[in-house]
Amino acid sequence: MGEAQEAIAALEELGLTEYEARCFVALAQLPHGTAKEIGQVADIPRSRVYETMDRLRKKGLIEIHETEPRMYQSVSTDTAIQILRKEYESYFDTAERTLEQLEPAYKDAQQGVWALNTHEQVTGRIVDLITDASDEVVLLVLEEDMLDEVTADALADVSDGDISVHVGTVSESTRDHVESMAIDATVFTTDLIEWFTAMSGSPRLSRLLLVDRGPVLVSALHEEELPGVPNETAVWTDGVDHGFATFAERIFTYELTENVTAETDEPT
């Protein structure tokens, strides 16, 4: 695929129609052009150029010089990108606003265990659970570099308040990340964490989260399907009235009591 075709495909992904994308890319390659010239470069019927250019004008992507014949000129690439980015972001704003209005005030998920199939989904759910915490967050990071920036930001935000944050790890880089992000957290390790971390093979336990001694998430890393993209899946449940959550909560509580609370209570 040539550069022009790549640009056309990208513009279509950003919301332009095929003809709009073809005409804009054609004009981007010309200092200016008539409908005939644009149609020839864009390889679309001349009769369709006029209406297409009118739509591009309304979007702010081209300028018109009222000559005979009429001349068209595209705005600069920087201006076009700014316009398209603003419009694209407005779609997200609209989707967020309308979906929040449609979503029930409370989704009862306490009786189920829910599956997450991508790294993005896992991170999104972890951030949501951390953000909704009211008392305590316990996060075990069992794989190197799995305390990503988005999760670290969420931990930093809640640690600024009255929420206790505990991060379990054997990784020095994770400890350094917690410190560099100024996360007010207790960083600890236990025999259980070391045991989990020492496990080999695939899948491997990756991140374990407990919030307010209720919602629980457990994730695992599988062999990468795309280079540099974590292949992570998870299950989570909201509330300790489910067996999975009860089991995980008991383990977390034991580890905190035996290792974190004990260290805190030692005389200085």
Side-chain angles (χ1 to χ4, degrees):
M1 180 184 295
E3 291 182 353
Q5 288 302 316
E6 288 185 13
I8 291 169
L11 289 172
E12 287 185 68
E13 291 292 334
L14 289 173
L16 297 189
T17 66
E18 179 185 357
Y19 280 2
E20 288 171 352
R22 285 183 173 277
C23 284
F24 185 82
V25 169
L27 264 183
Q29 300 173 81
L30 301 169
H32 47 70
T34 64
K36 179 180 179 181
E37 293 168 338
I38 295 168
Q40 290 174 340
V41 176
D43 193 24
I44 66 174
R46 179 179 174 182
S47 60
R48 299 297 302 275
V49 172
Y50 295 105
E51 61 184 81
T52 302
M53 300 308 288
D54 188 51
R55 292 199 301 270
L56 288 174
R57 179 188 60 80
K58 291 178 180 178
K59 293 177 185 289
L61 295 175
I62 67 163
E63 300 170 351
I64 299 176
H65 189 198
E66 294 294 350
T67 58
E68 185 58 42
R70 180 179 290 181
M71 300 292 292
Y72 302 93
Q73 177 178 291
S74 67
V75 298
S76 69
T77 299
D78 287 343
T79 300
I81 293 302
Q82 290 177 9
I83 291 171
L84 292 171
R85 179 178 285 118
K86 184 176 180 180
E87 183 172 354
Y88 202 69
E89 289 174 350
S90 73
Y91 295 148
F92 283 102
D93 293 339
T94 300
E96 180 181 20
R97 174 177 53 80
T98 54
L99 288 173
E100 285 179 348
Q101 292 174 349
L102 292 171
E103 189 174 34
Y106 175 70
K107 288 186 176 181
D108 187 1
Q110 293 186 353
Q111 296 298 324
V113 175
W114 303 85
L116 304 169
N117 297 317
T118 68
H119 173 65
E120 290 76 15
Q121 288 180 333
V122 175
T123 297
R125 177 54 60 185
I126 287 175
V127 170
D128 287 344
L129 292 173
I130 291 173
T131 303
D132 291 339
S134 59
D135 182 55
E136 180 186 60
V137 172
V138 185
L139 176 65
L140 306 188
V141 182
L142 306 177
E143 284 290 323
E144 194 83 13
D145 300 325
M146 289 306 290
L147 181 58
D148 54 84
E149 295 297 327
V150 178
T151 304
D153 285 340
L155 289 175
D157 288 342
V158 299
S159 71
D160 285 340
D162 298 327
I163 297 173
S164 299
V165 177
H166 307 288
V167 178
T169 185
V170 298
S171 166
E172 287 301 321
S173 66
T174 299
R175 287 178 176 270
D176 293 342
H177 197 181
V178 171
E179 183 176 348
S180 67
M181 291 290 294
I183 301 172
D184 185 9
T186 302
V187 182
F188 68 100
T189 190
T190 70
D191 291 340
L192 181 64
I193 294 174
E194 293 178 353
W195 181 61
F196 281 148
T197 306
M199 291 181 176
S200 60
S202 179
R204 307 178 306 278
L205 286 175
S206 174
R207 297 187 279 185
L208 290 80
L209 176 70
L210 174 69
V211 175
D212 297 335
R213 305 295 170 102
V216 172
L217 181 146
V218 177
S219 78
L221 274 182
H222 306 256
E223 293 297 329
E224 288 185 358
E225 295 179 350
L226 297 173
V229 179
N231 184 10
E232 187 179 26
T233 63
V235 292
W236 74 281
T237 187
D238 187 359
V240 296
D241 58 344
H242 191 283
F244 165 71
T246 301
F247 172 73
E249 187 272 335
R250 295 294 185 268
I251 292 177
F252 273 99
T253 299
Y254 175 80
E255 292 297 305
L256 288 173
T257 302
E258 292 296 312
N259 297 281
V260 178
T261 306
E263 292 180 8
T264 303
D265 292 341
E266 287 182 358
T268 58

